[in-house]
Amino acid sequence: MGKTDTKSEPARSSRTSRSTTSAAASRPRRRTTGAKTETPYHHGALREALLQAAEQVLERDGLAGLTLRAVAREAGVSHAAPTHHFGDLTGLLSELAAVGFRQFNAAMAASCDAATTPLERALARPKAYVAYAQAHPGMYGIMFRTERLDYSRPSLHEAAEASFAGLANAIGMMRQEQISGDALTLNQGAAIARAWSMVHGFTMLLLDGRLEDILARLPEGTTAERLLEAMLTAPVTPKLPV
């Protein structure tokens, strides 16, 4: 009787193991958390995560692909989360544009800090302007889509004002005078508008591929940056016939 019990013990153990395995297999498996599933965030971090997701969607899919639902999917959160934090798509775009302006302003400041000569300082800001647009074309594009933004939102208003103040200050340094962003003389306004129009227009032509024809006609190896330098250092007023 004892031998029989001893031999049957492994068999019972084997049956128990198979039974346990079968039961475990029959139970529904827990879904593993993937990149696009809902992700828990600490309080206050979800808003930033949504803005990061919005930037990724914008740069990958363009403005047409940037929706509240697309941002929620990208962040791996419920579809209601963007509405809770930004209200609607205009609110999201406005806060995203504010992020863009802050990034943009930081790039301008860093470029000026790195310049060591007067000429480098004069060229630093416009070069950084173009470089940011090339690196972040989606963000750059939304920053100037006024009809899609709500400038009454404090974050966007402050970031855009800081950008204009930086431009006014740079023009003031070139003119060797103090420029107040609140009240401009006609000549100061003209200088700011001229500089902004030149660099912004150049940037848009570059992003749209419209400068390729000009670059192809220039000496071999001439880059868009070199073309920009030549534009910025050329005399503002050409010689007029006498």
Side-chain angles (χ1 to χ4, degrees), residues 80-132:
T83 302
H84 174 73
H85 284 274
F86 305 108
D88 55 15
L89 184 58
T90 296
L92 174 63
L93 293 178
S94 300
E95 294 302 323
L96 188 60
V99 172
F101 273 113
R102 288 194 291 269
Q103 293 174 349
F104 182 74
N105 296 341
M108 301 296 105
S111 69
C112 293
D113 290 343
T116 57
T117 68
L119 179 59
E120 286 181 354
R121 282 191 290 273
L123 297 177
R125 188 178 183 88
K127 283 185 176 182
Y129 188 113
V130 176
Y132 177 83

Side-chain angles (χ1 to χ4, degrees), residues 158-203:
E158 292 170 8
E161 281 294 303
S163 181
F164 181 80
L167 172 61
N169 183 59
I171 298 301
M173 291 178 62
M174 293 177 62
R175 292 168 58 90
Q176 298 183 337
E177 62 179 301
Q178 185 70 31
I179 294 183
S180 169
D182 296 328
L184 303 172
T185 67
L186 179 58
N187 285 338
Q188 290 172 342
I192 293 172
R194 178 171 55 244
W196 192 5
S197 298
M198 181 183 294
V199 180
H200 182 71
F202 179 91
T203 301

Side-chain angles (χ1 to χ4, degrees), residues 3 15 25 35 42 46 54 78 83 118 145 159 227:
K3 291 182 179 180
R15 286 196 299 272
H42 293 294
L46 179 54
S78 72
T83 302
R145 291 293 298 270
L227 177 60

Side-chain angles (χ1 to χ4, degrees), residues 9-188:
E9 185 64 27
R12 286 198 300 271
S13 175
S14 176
R15 286 196 299 272
T16 302
S17 175
R18 286 196 298 270
S19 176
T20 302
T21 302
S22 176
S26 66
R27 289 195 297 267
R29 294 182 179 180
R30 291 184 178 180
R31 294 173 59 187
T32 56
T33 301
K36 301 301 181 185
T37 58
E38 292 192 18
T39 305
Y41 292 94
H42 293 294
H43 179 70
L46 179 54
R47 186 179 186 280
E48 295 305 315
L50 288 168
L51 288 171
Q52 290 175 11
E55 182 175 355
Q56 292 167 357
V57 173
L58 177 62
E59 297 294 354
R60 184 185 64 229
D61 303 329
L63 182 57
L66 182 59
T67 65
L68 295 177
R69 293 178 72 87
V71 171
R73 284 195 302 270
E74 187 73 20
V77 298
S78 72
H79 291 157
T83 302
H84 174 73
H85 284 274
F86 305 108
D88 55 15
L89 184 58
T90 296
L92 174 63
L93 293 178
S94 300
E95 294 302 323
L96 188 60
V99 172
F101 273 113
R102 288 194 291 269
Q103 293 174 349
F104 182 74
N105 296 341
M108 301 296 105
S111 69
C112 293
D113 290 343
T116 57
T117 68
L119 179 59
E120 286 181 354
R121 282 191 290 273
L123 297 177
R125 188 178 183 88
K127 283 185 176 182
Y129 188 113
V130 176
Y132 177 83
Q134 287 181 295
H136 309 277
M139 291 288 276
Y140 180 80
I142 194 60
M143 286 159 55
F144 297 100
R145 291 293 298 270
T146 306
E147 78 281 4
R148 299 296 301 272
L149 306 178
D150 178 7
Y151 275 88
S152 69
R153 297 179 79 97
S155 57
L156 176 57
H157 178 75
E158 292 170 8
E161 281 294 303
S163 181
F164 181 80
L167 172 61
N169 183 59
I171 298 301
M173 291 178 62
M174 293 177 62
R175 292 168 58 90
Q176 298 183 337
E177 62 179 301
Q178 185 70 31
I179 294 183
S180 169
D182 296 328
L184 303 172
T185 67
L186 179 58
N187 285 338
Q188 290 172 342

